Amino acid sequence: MKTIRDPIHNIVQFDKNNDKLLLDLIDTQEFQRLRHIKQLGLASFTYPGAEHTRFAHSLGVTHLMKRFIDKICSLKEDRFIPYIKEIGEHRSLALSAALLHDIGHGPFSHALEKTTGVRHEKWTIAIIQGDTEVNSVLKKYGINPQEVVDVIQRTHPSKAVVKLLSSQLDTDRIDYLLRDSKMTGAGYGTFDLEWMINVLTIGEHNGEIEVGLDIDKGISIAEDFVMARYYMYTNVYFHKTTRSAELLIDKIFSRALELYNEGNIDLPDDLVSILTRKGQLHETVANYINLTDNTIWHFVNIWTNHNDIILNDLSSRLNKRRFFKSINSSELDPLEYWKRVIEISNKYGISREYYFLRDEAKSSSYKDSYLIQTPKIGEEGIEREASEQIVLFDKNGNGTELSYISDIVNGLRNKKISIERYFVPDEYKNEIIGGYQHV
Amino acid sequence: MFKAAYSLLCIFDNVDSVYGRKKVQKMVHLLETSGTELPFKYEYHYYGPYSAEVQEEIGFLVQQGFLDEIKHDEAYEYVITDRGRNFKTTLEDDGGYSIDLNERLLNSMTKESSQFLEMVSTYAFLIDSGYEAGSAREKALELKPHLERFVDKAVNYYNEKIKKH
């Protein structure tokens, strides 16, 4: 037995015989690379403890997937037999997908994605399907790489397996909430995991297979879970300092790319290879896996001395934690704000593109449509959006969506958690706000 | 700063209106797939590819009065407002904003049903997920058996209007 100590799950074990596939996947260079990709990117500027990696998270998701599968397969009533059969048949697939679901994440995911024009999901597909060690290991154990992609992309025919990895009550978000909460020290994301697993069940609701909770014993833990998510979004994931740091690295990449296109900067060789062979993901996957947080930090440090004044300034701001300051955009009319930005940027000769930013919540890695979608209560006749729900099942297998029986959750559904902000350098903030007030 | 908002305003400024959130979702997804530079991330959901980011940005546009959201019995209809056009023009004139929008595709999609676009969008998503053309068609049928009547037309539509050559 391979035993790993983990801050969230304590003991994580992989059987050297039964879990050989997983152990071999963990040992691939593509998976080992995740040791050098931070789970929360730049959040450690706000929460210094948030240094944990996608490597540890991926192990945690796999461990949880095992526990979820074992729990569902232990359910006794006859109505569970088809699900137990389905999940049992796909056990190795589900565990492989859990382990590899974040394999395509790069350093500072969003910023790098904008620079290369390729989203991390595409790299996940390229790594699993391409000429990689991961692909070889999967094939060696008779796992079809395309099926692993299907589970991660949510298009696999086994909806039970898909929902275990990606739904409102999935192993991915349960692990990241607990882990991010613990490692940031924020304390908001905690809930009783053991009780959640104890009351875990599965059934069909509105024609869809859903992983859910027992209605008699699971309402409180379901509420705790939704509240944990809500607080983690508002206090950690959408924290203004972290968001400001992320916007800054985004702009550093943009500027570096602009200078590269003009022939005025050296970029990491592997990044150059990706940029010059766009669309050839399978050919450049080896370059991609060489890019880690460390590579990028090395260059950001060098750029603090670059002769381009914008790149130099932005990189220095990041290094010295002199981030842009936030303005709550809900208090400002966008048209008037825009006019003020034009005026001030012209007055001081500074770039609007690099110094006056809007935080678009969509850039967050953590989206949660459950909490931000239009509430459905009383609107059953209106077209259904793509929505996901936490379902509670009674002993006959009848499902009820959580917000119908929880006032707390129903209240949250009406509450937006996306926070719109503008970010500007500290030295211009008062003029922006003051100027606006006089318009 | 307002790139996502601007790109959606351009889409709505090029059509009279769009009927249905699902249709908006699929139109934006297919424009993005065809090569129009849009910043929205899509995931596969019950009705095919869906972007919470698109819905959020539309919410912002509606909240700011740049877009009218008209509630009908069965769906929401979206129409750009004069204030929205004004904002879009301001971004273009003062901020140098522009977008290379595939207007032919956009206008063509407005004439199609949301269910048809759901099938095209699903097929496009599968191609992006590494499926070859033939197996993507089969997989699309597996995912959307109730839309079988659209599959061949959807594949042709993708090949003619969306696929990047």
Side-chain angles (χ1 to χ4, degrees):
Chain A
M1 193 70 76
K2 185 91 175 169
T3 302
I4 297 165
R5 297 305 296 264
D6 179 77
I8 309 306
H9 307 294
N10 193 1
I11 292 176
V12 173
Q13 290 187 312
F14 294 96
D15 186 286
K16 285 182 180 170
N17 295 316
N18 295 334
D19 293 329
K20 190 76 169 57
L21 158 68
L22 301 176
L23 289 169
D24 283 359
L25 283 172
I26 290 168
D27 284 342
T28 60
Q29 60 169 329
E30 296 89 12
F31 192 81
Q32 287 294 318
R33 160 189 165 275
L34 296 181
R35 290 181 185 277
H36 308 292
I37 307 286
K38 276 190 204 170
Q39 173 76 7
L40 287 183
L42 296 167
S44 60
F45 275 109
T46 314
Y47 297 99
E51 296 282 345
H52 54 302
T53 65
R54 294 203 178 269
F55 182 89
H57 165 64
S58 300
L59 292 182
V61 175
T62 310
H63 173 74
L64 272 181
M65 181 65 87
K66 271 188 188 180
R67 294 196 65 192
F68 272 42
I69 289 173
D70 290 346
K71 171 63 190 179
I72 289 170
C73 290
S74 73
L75 296 170
K76 299 296 181 201
E77 289 91 338
D78 286 351
R79 64 189 163 90
F80 295 118
I81 291 173
Y83 305 121
I84 292 170
K85 188 167 180 286
E86 180 179 326
I87 290 171
E89 281 173 3
H90 293 105
R91 182 182 169 89
S92 295
L93 175 67
L95 293 171
S96 302
L99 194 63
L100 300 175
H101 77 283
D102 271 354
I103 195 80
H105 269 284
F108 312 109
S109 277
H110 180 64
L112 188 69
E113 285 174 8
K114 283 186 82 172
T115 306
T116 60
V118 183
R119 294 212 163 94
H120 70 263
E121 292 88 351
K122 292 260 187 184
W123 288 112
T124 294
I125 295 168
I127 290 170
I128 294 172
Q129 293 182 329
D131 182 16
T132 60
E133 291 182 14
V134 160
N135 183 273
S136 299
V137 171
L138 290 171
K139 285 180 177 167
K140 178 181 156 191
Y141 287 90
I143 304 285
N144 180 354
Q146 181 65 59
E147 282 202 69
V148 179
V149 169
D150 285 349
V151 174
I152 294 170
Q153 291 281 80
R154 301 164 54 98
T155 56
H156 194 273
S158 172
K159 293 302 170 201
V161 171
V162 168
K163 293 289 171 83
L164 282 169
L165 182 63
S166 177
S167 66
Q168 285 299 322
L169 199 65
D170 67 40
T171 49
D172 181 18
R173 80 183 65 191
I174 289 170
D175 184 83
Y176 77 61
L177 281 174
L178 292 171
R179 193 170 299 278
D180 296 345
S181 171
K182 175 103 171 180
M183 303 310 286
T184 56
Y188 301 104
T190 54
F191 51 89
D192 189 345
L193 174 65
E194 293 308 313
W195 189 253
M196 178 183 274
I197 294 174
N198 183 52
V199 298
L200 196 73
T201 185
I202 193 167
E204 199 172 309
H205 179 63
N206 288 340
E208 277 272 287
I209 291 176
E210 301 285 357
V211 176
L213 302 173
D214 181 290
I215 198 164
D216 295 323
K217 301 172 184 169
I219 293 180
S220 297
I221 185 65
E223 287 177 342
D224 275 357
F225 179 59
V226 173
M227 291 304 294
R229 282 152 50 192
Y230 178 76
Y231 287 131
M232 284 298 284
Y233 273 91
T234 50
N235 293 288
V236 176
Y237 304 137
F238 285 176
H239 192 286
K240 61 185 178 184
T241 307
T242 308
R243 302 296 296 161
S244 187
E246 285 169 354
L247 287 173
L248 202 51
I249 191 78
D250 191 359
K251 288 298 167 188
I252 289 170
F253 270 83
S254 296
R255 186 61 178 173
L257 182 62
E258 197 168 57
L259 294 170
Y260 170 75
N261 289 332
E262 293 166 0
N264 290 324
I265 197 172
D266 290 328
L267 291 178
D269 291 344
D270 290 305
L271 183 55
V272 169
S273 185
I274 290 165
L275 290 171
T276 51
R277 292 193 285 169
K278 279 197 171 180
Q280 299 175 44
L281 269 61
H282 287 290
E283 291 79 2
T284 54
V285 74
N287 300 109
Y288 185 74
I289 63 170
N290 282 337
L291 293 173
T292 67
D293 289 356
N294 305 333
T295 325
I296 303 306
W297 273 117
H298 171 72
F299 277 84
V300 170
N301 282 327
I302 289 175
W303 292 337
T304 59
N305 293 311
H306 198 275
N307 57 17
D308 176 73
I309 194 166
I310 293 176
L311 184 67
N312 172 320
D313 179 57
L314 296 177
S315 301
S316 299
R317 283 175 188 267
L318 185 64
N319 257 6
K320 294 174 184 167
R321 201 183 179 276
R322 285 192 300 113
F323 301 141
F324 292 0
K325 298 298 180 186
S326 69
I327 300 171
N328 187 345
S329 65
S330 65
E331 294 167 10
L332 301 176
D333 178 281
L335 261 170
E336 296 302 335
Y337 172 74
W338 178 249
K339 285 177 188 167
R340 178 57 41 184
V341 165
I342 300 283
E343 195 179 307
I344 292 172
S345 61
N346 287 341
K347 180 176 167 186
Y348 295 106
I350 48 174
S351 163
R352 286 190 290 276
E353 186 186 343
Y354 289 106
Y355 287 93
F356 295 93
L357 315 177
R358 175 183 170 227
D359 183 20
E360 297 164 289
K362 66 181 179 45
S363 60
S364 163
S365 306
Y366 297 99
K367 302 308 296 184
D368 197 332
S369 57
Y370 186 80
L371 289 172
I372 59 176
Q373 67 185 328
T374 305
K376 299 292 189 300
I377 307 291
E379 292 189 4
E380 289 83 354
I382 302 294
E383 59 178 339
R384 275 177 64 190
E385 291 179 69
S387 65
E388 294 201 329
Q389 308 170 331
I390 292 179
V391 180
L392 296 146
F393 290 99
D394 66 18
K395 56 188 170 188
N396 297 316
N398 299 313
T400 306
E401 197 270 312
L402 177 61
S403 69
Y404 282 85
I405 48 176
S406 165
D407 290 341
I408 295 170
V409 174
N410 190 36
L412 270 182
R413 291 185 88 178
N414 295 285
K415 196 169 175 61
K416 282 198 170 193
I417 55 166
S418 56
I419 302 165
E420 300 274 334
R421 300 184 186 104
Y422 299 118
F423 282 93
V424 300
D426 197 13
E427 54 268 37
Y428 304 118
K429 180 177 173 177
N430 286 341
E431 202 166 344
I432 285 275
I433 298 171
Y436 173 79
Q437 286 168 343
H438 288 99
V439 169
Chain B
M1 192 187 324
F2 289 108
K3 277 183 182 165
Y6 173 75
S7 62
L8 286 179
L9 286 173
C10 286
I11 290 171
F12 286 107
D13 196 27
N14 266 277
V15 298
D16 292 333
S17 75
V18 182
Y19 192 83
R21 287 178 174 173
K22 186 163 86 177
K23 188 161 180 176
V24 174
Q25 286 282 340
K26 306 314 172 202
M27 286 171 67
V28 175
H29 178 239
L30 292 173
L31 279 169
E32 197 167 278
T33 307
S34 78
T36 298
E37 221 171 282
L38 296 166
F40 305 109
K41 178 186 169 184
Y42 274 83
E43 289 178 343
Y44 193 84
H45 282 256
Y46 187 75
Y47 289 107
Y50 173 84
S51 170
E53 296 164 359
V54 167
Q55 195 52 48
E56 251 179 76
E57 201 61 41
I58 285 175
F60 167 76
L61 296 175
V62 171
Q63 183 198 352
Q64 294 297 334
F66 296 147
L67 210 58
D68 266 344
E69 183 180 66
I70 306 154
K71 191 172 167 183
H72 296 278
D73 287 343
E74 294 298 325
Y76 291 94
E77 183 183 11
Y78 293 95
V79 185
I80 192 169
T81 62
D82 289 341
R83 182 173 150 82
R85 275 199 190 89
N86 183 24
F87 186 51
K88 172 181 166 281
T89 307
T90 304
L91 291 173
E92 287 166 348
D93 294 347
D94 299 337
Y97 279 47
S98 67
I99 188 170
D100 188 10
L101 200 60
N102 187 339
E103 289 176 21
R104 184 179 289 185
L105 172 62
L106 179 58
N107 289 318
S108 160
M109 287 191 292
T110 59
K111 299 179 189 112
E112 302 291 349
S113 71
S114 63
Q115 280 201 319
F116 171 71
L117 295 178
E118 181 181 340
M119 182 51 111
V120 184
S121 182
T122 298
Y123 180 79
F125 186 87
L126 292 168
I127 294 285
D128 260 6
S129 298
Y131 279 90
E132 300 293 333
S135 47
R137 182 188 178 282
E138 294 311 306
K139 183 78 182 173
L141 278 176
E142 176 190 308
L143 292 167
K144 305 266 167 215
H146 59 292
L147 300 181
E148 185 182 0
R149 64 191 184 282
F150 294 125
V151 71
D152 288 323
K153 188 184 162 196
V155 171
N156 289 337
Y157 193 90
Y158 173 86
N159 287 331
E160 286 170 16
K161 295 185 163 68
I162 293 161
K163 185 178 176 182
K164 283 178 262 186
H165 296 284

